[in-house]
């Protein structure tokens, strides 16, 4: 009986060959999705022209071979191998998408032999061998496959139908671009826009705290009266009254001394890594992934495990790797001072090694690769400075995870000061490190960008509970509330992962937590890039800001079709897909239900009476292209895959959220499309009129009220002069916004 084993990617095939040899059969890799869904016009020629139409075929969208990368050769190799075998073992990732990647190949090629499934969440030899010793019949995972098909088909129908509708109904006449709508993309835009509006509408409030010097037998220190936010002192007179009462007040101190322990932080998954690199070094989410990918599969490197990780745990089998990894790392100069002679192994969800926490997860946390430690020094010599920096961060995280707790002694001192017959509490906190533990791995570097304590700490003199002290030199400190910070790419990825915070319904919040937010670790960076390419997001230094077009689109969608900007939509989809997995719903009925919702939203956009969205680029019509708006189903799941772009034509990001489709094909005799900036996508329709050339006596178009308001806000914030022409002329206002909104 000849057997073929299909993996999701080449690195997976290599790991299986190392663990299994040829014991189970020939091993061939895919390259993510080897197939794509057919284009709408491949199903219905009438759908080639963009219009507000529900792009739902009578059955399902059929699959077609994807021509990207090396996919054609890999599909041909699998097809040829299937002719000579009667059994297949699918060894793709164990999640919903991994099931789709493997099984869609067999469905497309019509394989009718026996199919088994190997399920593993780590790719070390022991885990792989255990998985192959416990193969499952693939038909047991049919519901998981059908849920993946429902997600894939629904995304195609929903995203493409609404992108075309929004582009045709919302785009300002005489402008060019694509208004990309997606189940993940538009809620991501919403997160940034809501924060921007929160900042603009924020009204700072003054409040006051009182600080005084306390003198006890052992010495002096500062004590502070700083009530929590809901009880802040808003009137200076009240603060000054407290200061007067504190001046010269003597009384007993309430002293509490506690020995505390702090466990090391969780290991990194990709979102946590992107957030840390964004906060510490100002890296974009895409930059972090790019460097991590090079560390993972770069020639002569392969220093870390799979970077598109979605869990912050390791499998319990990987405990056996701890001595080898710590031994190799502590031989490096930067870690030689660390004592790891007795590693601390923390199991369970409160620790770092937990099989239960990896159930249903494809990739464990990002850690140093145990298989390349023999020639670690030579591999490190091949790294760039950024690669060394990121590798050191990942190594520190791993070393910290197996080091002892940080131990410290915290002293909290309280004193009551009577003010108008009521006690007012002054407070001081001191902390003495007892054992650095895991903090020694980081030195002075932060671990996750978060402060450990919100209140100020200081070195306190020796104090006894109940001993007397006296307050003197009180002063009132004026403070002001601050608006929340804008997102950088790292913190936006974190917000996408924790999108449940933006949902009110408890059931949807819980399901979104389980789904780990909107998007996936593999797609979030590309989604952000897509929003920037479409001129819906811009940058102010390291901060992301919505462009005027992005804000306008958000406001329009929030009014006309709020479902499109609601992260809860993903939770609703996941609930429906859950029902498919457990057999309570037919996957076709789920597709039909989501298509019906898309049809309703198309009607809402067609009936919208709000202002048109101006993406900021003037231009005449350009020819429709077959590839524009297509959904490429492979993309981010392929290690190292990067959407191809050309200088001659901009890419429209309107397929699967974050996926950049290929530029339109042109025949040799076709006229070339005029060159346009990378951030703008051509509208694939020949019906949009070109802008009329203004005559010398033509009346100039006035800017919208929202444009003027935004211009005034930018001028105030950046301290620049606002010319009168900006308030009167549309083009002048647009130029001012483009210049200063980034």
């Amino acid at each position: 009986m000849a057997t073929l084993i299909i993996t999701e990617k080449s690195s997976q095939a290599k790991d299986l060959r190392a663990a299994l040899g040829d014991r189970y059969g020939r091993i061939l890799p895919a390259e993510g999705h080897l197939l794509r869904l057919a284009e709408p016009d491949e199903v219905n020629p009438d759908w080639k022209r963009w219009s507000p139409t529900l792009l739902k075929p009578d059955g399902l969208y059929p699959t077609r071979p994807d021509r990207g990368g090396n996919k054609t050769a890999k599909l041909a190799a699998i097809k040829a191998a299937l002719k000579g075998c009667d059994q297949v073992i699918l060894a793709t990732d164990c999640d919903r998408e991994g099931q789709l990647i493997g099984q869609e190949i067999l469905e497309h090629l019509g394989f009718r032999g026996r199919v088994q499934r190997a399920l593993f969440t780590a790719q070390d030899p022991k885990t792989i061998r255990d998985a192959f010793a416990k193969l499952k019949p693939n038909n047991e995972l049919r519901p998981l496959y059908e849920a993946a098909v429902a997600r894939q088909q629904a995304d195609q129908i929903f995203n493409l139908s609404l992108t075309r509708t929004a582009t045709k109904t919302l785009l300002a006449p005489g402008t060019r671009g694509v208004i990309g709508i997606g189940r993940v993309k538009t809620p991501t835009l919403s997160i940034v826009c809501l924060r921007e509006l929160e900042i603009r509408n924020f009204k700072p409030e003054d409040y006051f705290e009182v600080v005084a010097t306390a003198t006890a037998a052992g010495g002096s220190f500062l004590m502070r009266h700083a009530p929590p936010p809901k009880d802040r002192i808003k009137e200076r007179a009240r603060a000054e009254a407290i200061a007067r009462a504190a001046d010269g007040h003597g009384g007993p101190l309430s002293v509490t001394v506690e020995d505390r322990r702090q466990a090391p932080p969780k290991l990194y998954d990709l979102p946590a890594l992107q957030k840390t690199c964004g906060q510490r070094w100002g890296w974009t989410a895409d930059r972090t992934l790019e460097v991590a990918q090079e560390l993972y599969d770069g020639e002569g490197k392969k220093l870390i495990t799979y970077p598109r990780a979605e869990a912050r745990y390791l499998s319990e089998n990987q405990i056996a790797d701890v001595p080898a990894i710590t031994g190799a790392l502590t031989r490096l100069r930067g870690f030689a001072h660390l004592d790891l002679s007795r590693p601390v192994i923390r199991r369970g969800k409160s620790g770092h090694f937990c099989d239960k926490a990896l159930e249903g997860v494809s990739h464990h946390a990002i850690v140093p690769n145990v298989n390349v430690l023999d020639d670690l020094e030579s591999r490190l010599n091949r790294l760039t400075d950024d690669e060394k920096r990121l590798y050191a961060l990942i190594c520190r995280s791993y070393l910290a995870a197996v080091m002892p707790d940080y131990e410290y002694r915290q002293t909290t001192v309280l004193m009551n000061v009577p003010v108008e017959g009521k006690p007012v509490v002054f407070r001081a906190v001191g902390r003495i490190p007892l054992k650095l533990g895991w903090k020694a791995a980081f030195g002075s570097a932060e671990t996750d960008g978060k402060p450990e304590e919100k209140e100020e700490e200081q070195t306190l003199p020796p104090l006894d509970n109940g001993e007397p002290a006296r307050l003197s030199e009180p002063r009132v400190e004026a403070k002001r509330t601050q608006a929340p910070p804008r997102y950088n790419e790292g913190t936006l990825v974190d917000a996408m992962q924790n999108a449940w915070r933006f949902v009110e319904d408890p059931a949807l919040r819980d399901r979104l937590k389980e789904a780990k937010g909107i998007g996936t670790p593999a797609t979030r960076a590309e989604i952000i890039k897509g929003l920037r390419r479409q001129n819906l997001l811009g940058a102010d230094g390291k901060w992301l800001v919505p462009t005027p077009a992005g804000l306008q689109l958000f406001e329009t969608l929030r009014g006309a079709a709020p479902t499109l900007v609601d992260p809860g939509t993903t939770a609703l989809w996941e609930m429906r897909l859950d029902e498919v997995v457990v057999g309570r719903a037919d996957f076709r009925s789920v597709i039909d239900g989501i298509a019906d919702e898309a049809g309703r939203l198309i009607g809402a956009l067609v009936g919208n009476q709000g202002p048109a969205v101006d993406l900021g680029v003037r231009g005449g019509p350009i020819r429709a292209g077959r590839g524009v708006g297509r959904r490429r189903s492979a993309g981010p799941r392929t290690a190292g895959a990067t959407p191809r772009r050309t200088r001659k034509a901009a890419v429209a990001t309107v397929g699967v959220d974050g996926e950049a489709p290929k530029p339109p094909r042109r025949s040799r005799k076709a006229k070339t499309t005029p060159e346009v900036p990378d951030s703008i996508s051509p509208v694939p329709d020949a019906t949009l009129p070109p802008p009329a050339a203004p005559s010398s006596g033509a009346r100039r178009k006035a800017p919208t009220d929202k444009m003027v308001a935004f211009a005034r806000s930018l001028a105030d914030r950046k301290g620049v002069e606002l010319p009168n022409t900006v308030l009167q002329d549309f083009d002048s206002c647009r130029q001012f916004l483009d210049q200063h909104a980034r």
Side-chain angles (χ1 to χ4, degrees), residues 229-402:
K230 64 184 182 65
D231 298 322
R232 280 175 175 155
I233 305 170
K234 303 294 181 62
E235 299 83 23
R236 177 176 282 275
R238 168 68 177 167
E240 290 175 345
I242 294 173
R244 286 193 297 271
D247 192 11
H249 174 74
L253 297 174
S254 173
V255 180
T256 303
V257 180
E258 297 177 281
D259 286 350
R260 295 187 177 184
R261 307 171 68 94
Q262 184 181 5
K266 298 292 185 189
L267 295 162
Y268 286 117
D269 60 4
L270 180 59
L273 197 63
Q274 288 169 320
K275 180 180 180 182
T276 299
C277 293
Q279 289 177 324
R280 191 171 301 176
W281 305 318
W283 288 7
T284 64
D286 191 56
R287 176 61 179 158
T288 302
L289 179 55
E290 178 186 346
V291 177
Q293 192 73 41
E294 184 65 21
L295 287 174
Y296 169 66
D297 61 7
E299 184 64 32
K301 298 172 185 176
K302 298 176 174 57
L303 286 161
I304 64 171
T305 57
Y306 190 66
R308 301 170 192 261
E310 54 194 7
R312 303 186 71 172
Y313 295 91
L314 298 175
S315 69
E316 292 173 24
N317 282 339
Q318 291 172 281
I319 294 173
D321 296 337
V322 172
I325 295 177
T326 57
L329 294 183
T330 52
R331 285 194 292 272
L332 300 176
R333 184 176 58 184
F335 305 127
H337 64 288
L338 301 177
D339 180 8
L340 280 135
S341 56
R342 299 178 64 184
V344 179
I345 304 301
R346 298 174 178 86
R347 301 173 186 260
K349 288 193 174 182
S350 61
H352 301 90
F353 299 88
C354 181
D355 288 343
K356 190 171 182 61
L358 291 174
E359 290 178 358
V361 175
S362 300
H363 304 290
H364 59 67
I366 306 169
V367 296
N369 183 2
V370 68
N371 299 312
V372 298
L373 300 177
D374 291 342
D375 60 342
L376 187 56
E377 290 278 5
S378 65
R379 292 173 187 268
L380 292 176
N381 289 333
R382 301 186 183 104
L383 303 186
T384 65
D385 287 345
D386 279 352
E387 289 164 4
K388 289 177 182 177
R389 186 183 298 179
L390 186 60
Y391 183 64
L393 181 67
I394 293 167
C395 290
R396 291 180 192 281
S397 171
Y398 184 89
L399 293 171
V402 293

